[in-house]
Amino acid sequence: ARVVAGFEERAAKDHITVSADIERGLHVLADPLALDVILRNLLENALAAVAPVGGGTVTFSGRRAGSEVELSVRDSGVGFRPADAARLFQKFTRLHPGGGGSHFGTGLGLYIVRRMMQLAGGRVSAQSAGIGQGATFVLAWPAGEHGEARSPAASGGSEPLARAPVRRE
C-alpha cells in the first residue's frame, strides 16, 4: 500500500486511477529493499502503459495462494501480443518504443524484476489478451510468517538478497 501511495500524484496527473486490494496479514520471504524495487518497477511500467491510452486504471492486488503469496499488477493500458510475453523480461526490450507519453524507459525494468524475483526464490509472469487489452503481471513468492526474516538459510545458503551478487547472463 505504501508503494502504491507513492504513485498516486503522478497517476492523477495522467488521469489514471490506482487502487490496491491486498489481503491483510500477507508476508513474503523477501528482502524489503528488493521488494520495494520490484513493486516500484511494476507500477512504473503499468503507469507508462496506461498513459498513452489517455487515462485508465492500475490495480495492485495481493492474496495467499497455498504456500505462496501472489501479488499482481493489472493495467488497462496498451497491452501486448501474447506471443511477446517472454520477451518482456529480456534486457533492453521495449515493445512500445515511443514510451508511454512522457514516460520513457531503458527496457531494463522488467528484466530487473525477473532477476530479483529469481534471486528471491520467486517467479514473475505476464499476460495480455493483445494490443489495447491491458496487461497483468503476477509475482509469486514463498509465503512467510509475521516476523520471519529472509536469512541465508532461507535463500539456499546465499547472501541476503540486497547484497547478493548478480551473475552476468
Side-chain angles (χ1 to χ4, degrees):
R2 179 184 46 78
V3 172
V4 170
F7 284 89
E8 287 175 344
E9 185 177 323
R10 176 178 153 199
K13 185 183 96 186
D14 289 337
H15 308 289
I16 301 169
T17 302
V18 178
S19 63
D21 178 21
I22 304 165
E23 214 174 88
R24 292 186 89 41
L26 293 179
H27 299 278
V28 297
L29 294 175
D31 179 275
L33 178 61
L35 179 60
D36 190 70
V37 169
I38 289 166
L39 297 179
R40 286 181 185 281
N41 269 313
L42 282 181
L43 285 170
E44 179 75 31
N45 190 69
L47 290 175
V50 174
V53 178
T57 60
V58 174
T59 303
F60 178 61
S61 60
R63 67 180 181 89
R64 180 95 185 224
S67 63
E68 294 182 323
V69 170
E70 287 185 355
L71 302 174
S72 67
V73 177
R74 179 183 310 261
D75 68 64
S76 63
V78 295
F80 56 88
R81 292 179 315 138
D84 289 332
R87 281 189 44 223
L88 287 171
F89 300 101
Q90 296 173 356
K91 285 183 186 178
F92 307 113
T93 297
R94 297 186 65 210
L95 296 181
H96 306 289
S102 62
H103 310 290
F104 297 94
T106 60
L108 288 172
L110 293 176
Y111 171 79
I112 291 168
V113 166
R114 183 194 66 164
R115 188 69 183 119
M116 292 182 96
M117 288 300 294
Q118 289 170 336
L119 290 169
R123 62 187 185 286
V124 59
S125 63
Q127 300 100 28
S128 177
I131 302 297
Q133 302 297 309
T136 301
F137 291 81
V138 178
L139 307 164
W141 275 280
E145 299 303 321
H146 182 66
E148 185 176 5
R150 177 92 174 147
S151 67
S155 61
S158 66
E159 296 180 46
L161 184 58
R163 294 180 298 165
V166 177
R167 292 184 314 232
R168 304 237 183 253
E169 293 185 0

